[in-house]
């Protein structure tokens, strides 16, 4: 875990101070077992949000994300012919300047520092530092389909949430018509169904994350608050009655209870399969909970970058794949709290000079020919 040493600085004015901060915040021992990611931005007020989701003058690219992807694929399919996945195509598209849901990271603290200093000289910059256990970071070929929902096909998650809620309400209303042959079971079941439908009614226009969490809670209450207690209670009642007609009636009530659970499981799987088909999700391992399945779309996914261009190689790139579903309640910082350091604006020029002595220059970070030409002009100005 990061050091909690209270002497860790909150701002730095030199490369030496910055490297001291880096050392103080690195997991012990020496980051072993951790994937260390940095991100630098020239304005410390920058919000960790990808370009496709950023709102400017009341507008964003979120609703046309799929169209942006398809248009670039249509205009130059050959450019992406070697890419093996949607994720790899998105990485290449971001390289070309297309707004995507990817947030750039780097394994290099020096590259992050460069980006924190390379512009806005009058404004304080910032470097943020994430540390994840290595096994929790996805390789490019293992990135979950759920993280890319809405790229291959348009997805309106608010509509998906409303549809699932309506389907659950219909299912619970249908279940109220069954007679389990046991007054206590019927009473508790009806109380559960009424409470669940009432809760779902409140969620119709709610935040997608709240909807997902509420559905997960309803599922848990169904099993732990109704089915399991009554399964145990009926078993005790049946054993106490022995070989009697009343015991046979209890067995029938137990059968009705099991069938209720089986119907719910079947309906849950049908809901999940329906959403997967709608979003073209081919690989989904989360099938034991509808709520957890939906919550996948509010997660942030850390992924290693496919090294498919020289810029990524030099920048030692990685990415956060930001959540497909919009939610105002869960940000990157909630998912994994980073360490942060402010870079004084007045020190940026001097820090860039120190980085240049180490070979970290703009032409190194951006190896494309236009940047090389610009670097040549900076090195040999007109006389």
């Amino acid at each position: 875990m990061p050091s909690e040493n209270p002497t860790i600085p909150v701002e730095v004015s030199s490369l030496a101070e910055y490297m001291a901060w880096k050392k103080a915040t690195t997991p012990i021992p020496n980051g072993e077992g951790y994937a260390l990611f940095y991100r630098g931005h020239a304005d410390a007020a920058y919000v960790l949000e990808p370009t496709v989701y950023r709102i400017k003058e009341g507008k964003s690219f979120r609703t046309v994300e799929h169209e942006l992807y398809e248009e670039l694929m249509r205009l130059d399919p050959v450019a992406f012919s070697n890419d093996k996945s949607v994720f790899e195509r998105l990485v290449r598209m971001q390289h070309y300047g297309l707004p995507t849901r990817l947030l750039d990271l780097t394994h290099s603290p020096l590259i992050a520092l460069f980006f924190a200093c390379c512009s806005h000289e009058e404004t304080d910059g910032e470097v943020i530092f994430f540390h994840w256990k290595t096994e929790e970071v996805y390789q490019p070929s293992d990135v979950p389909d759920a993280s890319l929902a809405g790229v291959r096909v348009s997805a309106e998650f608010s509509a998906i949430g409303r549809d699932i809620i309506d389907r659950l309400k219909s299912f619970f209303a249908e279940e109220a018509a069954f007679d389990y042959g046991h007054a206590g079971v019927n009473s508790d079941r009806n109380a559960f169904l009424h409470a669940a439908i009432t809760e779902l009614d409140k969620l119709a226009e709610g935040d997608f994350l709240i909807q997902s969490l509420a559905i997960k809670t309803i599922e848990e209450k169904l099993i732990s608050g109704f089915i399991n207690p009554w399964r145990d209670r009926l078993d005790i009642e049946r054993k106490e009655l022995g070989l009697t007609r009343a015991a046979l009636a209890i067995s029938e009530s137990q059968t009705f209870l099991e069938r209720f659970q089986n119907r719910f499981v079947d309906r849950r799987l049908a809901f999940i399969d329906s959403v997967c088909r709608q979003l073209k999700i081919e690989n989904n391992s989360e099938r034991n909970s509808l709520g957890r399945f939906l919550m996948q779309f509010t997660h942030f996914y850390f992924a290693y970058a496919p090294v498919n261009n020289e810029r990524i190689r030099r920048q030692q790139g990685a990415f956060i794949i930001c959540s497909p579903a919009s939610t105002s309640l869960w940000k990157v910082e909630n998912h994994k709290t980073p360490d942060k350091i402010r870079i004084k604006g007045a020190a940026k020029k001097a820090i860039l000079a120190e980085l240049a002595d180490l070979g970290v220059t703009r032409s190194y970070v951006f190896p494309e020919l236009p940047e090389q030409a610009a670097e040549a002009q900076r090195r040999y100005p007109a006389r």
Side-chain angles (χ1 to χ4, degrees):
M1 295 296 294
S3 169
E4 296 182 358
N5 186 340
T7 63
I8 294 176
V10 295
E11 63 180 33
V12 297
S13 299
S14 69
L15 177 59
E17 291 177 351
Y18 174 77
M19 294 308 293
W21 167 80
K22 183 264 180 188
K23 182 177 181 180
T25 54
T26 300
I28 299 172
N30 300 319
E32 183 179 350
Y34 286 87
L36 311 182
F37 299 114
Y38 301 84
R39 178 181 172 87
H41 31 259
D43 186 347
Y46 182 89
V47 177
L48 281 177
E49 200 166 36
T51 52
V52 81
Y53 296 162
R54 283 195 161 268
I55 297 175
K56 186 176 182 180
E57 298 177 353
K59 300 177 182 179
S60 82
F61 289 107
R62 181 184 283 274
T63 58
V64 294
E65 183 181 15
H66 167 63
E67 284 75 10
L68 291 175
Y69 172 84
E70 288 295 339
E71 184 69 1
L72 216 58
M73 289 293 295
R74 182 184 70 83
L75 293 173
D76 194 356
V78 175
F80 306 97
S81 59
N82 291 327
D83 297 322
K84 299 178 181 178
S85 66
V86 173
F87 174 59
E88 290 187 18
R89 293 185 201 111
L90 280 186
V91 171
R92 194 177 300 278
M93 289 176 181
Q94 176 145 310
H95 173 75
Y96 290 142
L98 190 78
T100 77
R101 66 179 61 175
L102 305 180
L103 268 176
D104 290 290
L105 301 173
T106 175
H107 294 287
S108 169
L110 297 182
I111 294 294
L113 181 60
F114 171 85
F115 279 109
C117 295
C118 66
S119 63
H120 297 77
E121 290 187 5
E122 303 304 316
T123 304
D124 287 357
E126 184 179 62
V127 171
I128 61 175
F129 168 46
F130 292 96
H131 48 93
W132 276 85
K133 290 185 178 179
T134 304
E135 62 268 22
E136 295 176 351
V137 182
Y138 290 96
Q139 294 290 345
S141 60
D142 296 329
V143 168
D145 284 358
S147 70
L148 301 168
V151 175
R152 293 178 61 196
V153 61
S154 293
E156 187 181 346
F157 283 96
S158 58
I160 290 173
R162 288 194 300 270
D163 182 56
I164 291 293
I165 287 168
D166 288 342
R167 293 188 186 195
L168 274 176
K169 286 167 57 180
S170 295
F171 171 73
F172 289 145
E174 293 168 6
E175 287 298 320
F178 289 96
D179 182 359
Y180 288 8
H182 189 289
V185 177
N186 285 339
S187 176
D188 281 2
R189 180 213 51 199
N190 290 341
F192 166 79
L193 295 176
H194 175 75
I197 292 172
T198 301
E199 180 65 21
L200 291 169
D201 278 333
K202 300 175 184 177
L203 300 172
E205 302 300 327
D207 184 280
F208 190 83
L209 177 58
I210 294 297
Q211 292 174 335
S212 304
L213 287 169
I215 290 171
K216 176 175 174 288
T217 299
I218 289 172
E219 291 179 292
E220 291 170 349
K221 287 181 178 178
L222 171 63
I223 302 302
S224 63
F226 171 61
I227 289 180
N228 284 346
W230 268 109
R231 179 185 286 124
D232 295 340
R233 185 170 171 181
L234 289 173
D235 193 51
I236 293 171
E237 289 184 15
R238 181 178 55 78
K239 290 177 179 178
E240 289 176 346
L241 291 169
L243 298 176
T244 64
R245 187 178 297 274
L248 181 60
I250 294 294
S251 295
E252 291 177 350
S253 296
Q254 288 177 305
T255 300
F256 279 119
L257 197 66
E258 297 300 328
R259 287 175 179 172
F260 176 31
Q261 182 173 357
N262 292 338
R263 285 193 297 271
F264 178 77
V265 170
D266 290 343
R267 196 65 62 95
R268 179 184 71 210
L269 295 176
F271 293 163
I272 290 173
D273 289 341
S274 175
V275 174
C276 286
R277 287 193 300 271
Q278 180 180 343
L279 299 179
K280 293 187 177 180
I281 294 175
E282 298 174 0
N283 300 306
N284 170 60
S285 59
E286 185 53 81
R287 298 177 64 80
N288 294 324
S289 166
L290 179 59
R292 288 200 298 270
F293 168 76
L294 296 174
M295 287 171 64
Q296 291 179 107
F297 304 116
T298 63
H299 288 179
F300 294 86
Y301 299 83
F302 282 64
Y304 296 112
V307 186
N308 56 17
N309 63 71
E310 184 60 24
R311 183 191 296 185
I312 284 182
R313 185 184 304 279
R314 295 193 183 189
Q315 294 181 8
Q316 300 181 49
F319 295 97
I320 301 174
I321 308 172
C322 293
S323 58
S326 175
T327 173
S328 61
L329 304 173
W330 195 248
K331 306 296 184 183
V332 177
E333 295 94 332
N334 300 127
H335 193 69
K336 182 67 175 178
T337 303
D339 291 285
K340 299 181 179 182
I341 191 69
R342 183 176 288 257
I343 313 299
K344 295 299 293 180
K348 285 183 177 181
K349 187 174 181 179
I351 292 174
L352 285 174
E354 291 182 284
L355 288 172
D357 288 341
L358 299 176
V360 183
T361 64
R362 186 173 184 86
S363 61
Y364 174 80
V365 174
F366 298 99
E368 293 79 10
L369 192 58
E371 289 294 342
Q372 303 298 322
E375 178 67 18
Q377 292 179 68
R378 285 191 291 271
R379 188 169 297 175
Y380 301 100
R383 286 184 260 179

